[in-house]
Amino acid sequence: MEVVICRDAGEIGGIAADAITLLLQRKATAVLGLATGSSPLAIYDELVARHEAGEISFRQARGFTLDEYVGLPVDHPERYRTVIDTVFVSRVDFAPGAVQGPDGAAAAIPAACEAYEDAIRAAGGVDLQILGIGTDGHIAFNEPGSSLASRTRIKTLTRQTRIDNARFFGDDVDAVPTHCLTQGLGTIMQARHVILVATGRSKAEAVHHLVEGPVSAMWPATVLQHHPHVTVLLDDAAARRLQLVDYYRETYQSKPAWQGI
Ligand code: F6R
């Protein structure tokens, strides 16, 4: 697991966008795993800027979102399928239908989850997965106690996650859905490269467990310690509880540029 402590969200966006740019140059048909929430916004803004400058194209690329609320009407602005369109997909040149998400409105939920796993597999798997992390250590919506081998399924959101996400629902925690469909930890672990972004003090405890804690379903993101290629991009506030912070800084500063992330 590589830990990079950045100046700010702008630097985080640049480092992640460099990796995505290189991937698209090597493989125009790359499959991207797209997180919603606040953490990846700087990455999406940087990718949009590069697209507008004619530096990258998503014309042949595919995308899969991580999760979706259950029970939101299809025209609800906080539906993750709508959010990812607004913040990223509609601002670049993905082909129509190239970005998919789990169907939170499906009548038959288990079948919809299985279909989502099949679609990811049929696309050849995710080449690069962007992740945020919840204050309770979730990735996608794999809440504490999630099986480390889980696949796409329905989950109940913790009270903490609903409180954290109430800001998107007019600060009304009761307006945040109680259930979601989410890629499982086992699903995410099959992505070839994972870039996890965390900024701000509220993420410091989860980041401490992710990077330096024991692997445990109580802090689901810790499963990433078993992944061979994970890059964790942090700001100072999110890194403040890390023990080996000086080592992470020195390692990144002395890294040869050709290595990338
Ligand atoms: C969103 C997702 C979640 C968020 C996490 C952090 O698709 O899967 O795991 O990444 O809740 O959210 P933000 O970035 O808003 O702090």
Side-chain angles (χ1 to χ4, degrees):
M1 182 176 286
E2 177 175 35
V3 179
V4 185
I5 301 162
C6 302
R7 272 188 317 279
D8 51 26
E11 188 180 9
I12 291 174
I15 292 172
D18 283 348
I20 294 166
T21 304
L22 282 174
L23 171 64
L24 288 168
Q25 281 165 358
R26 182 165 55 80
K27 183 179 178 186
T29 58
V31 178
L32 301 176
L34 303 172
T36 44
S38 311
S39 304
L41 293 179
I43 303 177
Y44 298 144
D45 286 346
E46 179 61 25
L47 290 172
V48 170
R50 291 181 190 202
H51 171 67
E52 285 171 354
E55 294 167 19
I56 44 172
S57 168
F58 299 85
R59 206 162 21 88
Q60 297 181 65
R62 308 273 307 269
F64 290 92
T65 59
L66 284 169
D67 38 22
E68 184 58 273
Y69 291 115
V70 169
L72 286 186
V74 285
D75 59 351
H76 195 288
E78 290 306 326
R79 205 174 141 249
Y80 279 167
R81 195 59 196 78
T82 306
V83 170
I84 201 69
D85 269 344
T86 308
V87 300
F88 181 46
V89 175
S90 67
R91 301 166 69 200
V92 294
D93 61 344
F94 279 106
V99 175
Q100 301 179 49
D103 182 2
I109 296 274
C113 294
E114 216 170 294
Y116 199 57
E117 289 278 335
D118 289 346
I120 296 172
R121 210 172 300 119
V126 171
D127 291 299
L128 189 151
Q129 175 67 57
I130 299 166
L131 290 181
I133 185 169
T135 57
D136 64 1
H138 69 229
I139 50 175
F141 275 142
N142 293 281
E143 297 286 29
S146 289
S147 158
L148 302 184
S150 49
R151 312 301 304 196
T152 302
R153 69 212 183 289
I154 189 166
K155 284 292 288 182
T156 307
L157 295 171
T158 60
R159 181 86 189 156
Q160 184 60 53
T161 296
R162 294 178 66 227
I163 291 169
D164 290 345
N165 286 5
R167 69 191 192 280
F168 298 117
F169 292 83
D171 286 325
D172 176 7
V173 70
D174 294 325
V176 183
T178 53
H179 289 80
C180 63
L181 301 190
T182 179
Q183 285 191 31
L185 294 170
T187 319
I188 294 167
M189 286 292 282
Q190 286 184 319
R192 294 178 188 95
H193 182 194
V194 173
I195 297 181
L196 184 146
V197 177
T199 56
R201 275 176 92 93
S202 66
K203 301 294 174 73
E205 188 183 10
V207 166
H208 154 74
H209 287 279
L210 158 69
V211 178
E212 296 178 343
V215 174
S216 160
M218 279 306 287
W219 290 93
T222 58
V223 72
L224 295 173
Q225 292 179 23
H226 284 294
H227 192 288
H229 192 183
V230 175
T231 311
V232 178
L233 301 178
L234 306 173
D235 66 0
D236 285 318
R240 61 194 282 277
R241 288 203 44 204
L242 294 178
Q243 227 178 309
L244 299 184
V245 70
D246 293 338
Y247 175 65
Y248 305 136
R249 284 189 201 280
E250 279 169 31
T251 304
Y252 189 66
Q253 274 159 17
S254 58
K255 191 176 185 186
W258 59 262
Q259 262 189 314
I261 56 168

